[in-house]
C-alpha cells in the first residue's frame, strides 16, 4: 500500500476513533492514548497527525462539516419542487446522522469548541440554503401563505420565499433537536409524515408516521 494512502487511512481512522470516544465519554474525558488504541494505531502515529486533542477535535468538526456540505450540495442540485427537495435533504441528513459517528459527534461538540456546528450556526446556514433554493423555485413550488405547499398565486409577496425558508428551517432544526432525545424522529417515516402535514390536504396527512414526544415541557 502506498505510504500516502496509508497515511490518509490512518488519519481517517483516528478521526473516527475520536468521534466514537467523544460520543461515549465526552470530549473532556477522552484521552489521546485511548483514541489511538481504539484506532489500533500507536501514540506516535496519533501525534504525527494531530498535535493535541484540540487539533483532533477540530478535525472531527471539519469532517462533519464536509459531510454536511455533501448533503447540502445534493439539495442545491435537486430539480424536485422545493418542499420535496428539502424533505429529501432532511431524510438524507438524518440518515447520515444516525449512521455516521463523526457527523453525530461533530453536531454534539460545543459551539465554542467547533465553530460552525452549533444550533444557531446551522439555523443560519440552512436558512440561507433554503432561501436561495426558494428564490429559484417556480412560484407553484413554494409554500403558500397558509403554510400549505402549492400555488402562491400571481400576487405572491416578495417575502414569501423568506417565510418559506423560515418554515423549512424551523422544521429541520426542530427534528434535529428532537432526534437527539428520541431517534425515531429521524426515521424516514417520521420525516415523510411531517412533510405530509405541510400539504394542508387531509388525504395527504400521515399523523401515524410521527412519534409521540419523549416529554412535554412542564
Amino acid at each position: 500500500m502506498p505510504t500516502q494512502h496509508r497515511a490518509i487511512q490512518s488519519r481517517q481512522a483516528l478521526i473516527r476513533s475520536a468521534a466514537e470516544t467523544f460520543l461515549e465519554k465526552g470530549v473532556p474525558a477522552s484521552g489521546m492514548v485511548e483514541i489511538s488504541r481504539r484506532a489500533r494505531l500507536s501514540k506516535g502515529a496519533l501525534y504525527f497527525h494531530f498535535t493535541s486533542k484540540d487539533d483532533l477535535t477540530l478535525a472531527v468538526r471539519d469532517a462533519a462539516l464536509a459531510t454536511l456540505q455533501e448533503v447540502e450540495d445534493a439539495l442545491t442540485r435537486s430539480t424536485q419542487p422545493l418542499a420535496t427537495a428539502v424533505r429529501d435533504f432532511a431524510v438524507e441528513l438524518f440518515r447520515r446522522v444516525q449512521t455516521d459517528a463523526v457527523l453525530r459527534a461533530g453536531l454534539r461538540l460545543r459551539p465554542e469548541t467547533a465553530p460552525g456546528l452549533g444550533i444557531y450556526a446551522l439555523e443560519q446556514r440552512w436558512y440561507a440554503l433554503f432561501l436561495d433554493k426558494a428564490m429559484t423555485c417556480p412560484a407553484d413550488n413554494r409554500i403558500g401563505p397558509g403554510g400549505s405547499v402549492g400555488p402562491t398565486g400571481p400576487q405572491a409577496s416578495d417575502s414569501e420565499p423568506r417565510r418559506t425558508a423560515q418554515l423549512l428551517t424551523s422544521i429541520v432544526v426542530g427534528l434535529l433537536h428532537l432526534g437527539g432525545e428520541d431517534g425515531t424522529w429521524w426515521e424516514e417515516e417520521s420525516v415523510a409524515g411531517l412533510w405530509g402535514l405541510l400539504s394542508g390536504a387531509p388525504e395527504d396527512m400521515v399523523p401515524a408516521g410521527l412519534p409521540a414526544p419523549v416529554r412535554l415541557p412542564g
Side-chain angles (χ1 to χ4, degrees):
M1 180 185 298
T3 302
Q4 184 178 11
H5 182 63
R6 186 164 56 246
I8 292 173
Q9 284 192 327
S10 295
R11 180 180 175 85
Q12 291 174 338
L14 289 165
I15 292 172
R16 185 168 58 253
S17 174
E20 292 170 352
T21 308
F22 292 168
L23 287 169
E24 287 182 10
K25 297 189 172 184
V27 176
S30 297
M32 295 289 272
V33 173
E34 180 181 7
I35 290 170
S36 62
R37 286 176 178 169
R38 184 190 286 261
R40 298 183 178 180
L41 292 167
S42 68
K43 187 177 178 181
L46 171 58
Y47 281 103
F48 173 79
H49 290 283
F50 304 102
T51 59
S52 65
K53 188 164 65 175
D54 288 344
D55 189 23
L56 185 51
T57 301
L58 288 176
V60 171
R61 180 207 64 174
D62 290 345
L65 282 171
T67 298
L68 280 182
Q69 189 66 56
E70 289 179 13
V71 182
E72 292 165 355
D73 288 346
L75 170 65
T76 300
R77 294 191 303 268
S78 176
T79 58
Q80 294 292 330
L82 176 63
T84 302
V86 177
R87 180 202 63 195
D88 293 344
F89 164 85
V91 167
E92 179 62 12
L93 170 67
F94 299 133
R95 184 190 71 79
R96 297 280 191 110
V97 172
Q98 288 178 301
T99 60
D100 187 338
V102 176
L103 176 58
R104 195 161 60 254
L107 291 171
R108 292 186 183 181
L109 294 173
R110 295 178 180 178
E112 61 271 23
T113 302
L117 282 174
I119 197 68
Y120 178 74
L122 291 175
E123 286 177 354
Q124 298 303 306
R125 181 186 182 101
W126 291 337
Y127 172 74
L129 179 67
F130 299 159
L131 177 59
D132 183 66
K133 193 72 174 175
M135 294 290 288
T136 60
C137 273
D140 60 356
N141 285 341
R142 298 181 189 154
I143 295 180
S148 62
V149 176
T152 57
Q155 304 301 321
S157 166
D158 290 342
S159 66
E160 191 65 44
R162 291 183 175 81
R163 291 202 300 270
T164 298
Q166 288 170 346
L167 173 59
L168 294 173
T169 302
S170 298
I171 294 171
V172 175
V173 172
L175 285 172
L176 180 64
H177 175 72
L178 289 168
E181 296 289 338
D182 178 2
T184 57
W185 284 99
W186 290 341
E187 294 174 358
E188 183 172 356
E189 180 183 3
S190 298
V191 177
L194 183 57
W195 246 257
L197 298 175
L198 289 178
S199 68
E203 63 272 15
D204 291 332
M205 294 185 182
V206 195
L210 299 177
V214 174
R215 62 175 180 267
L216 297 175

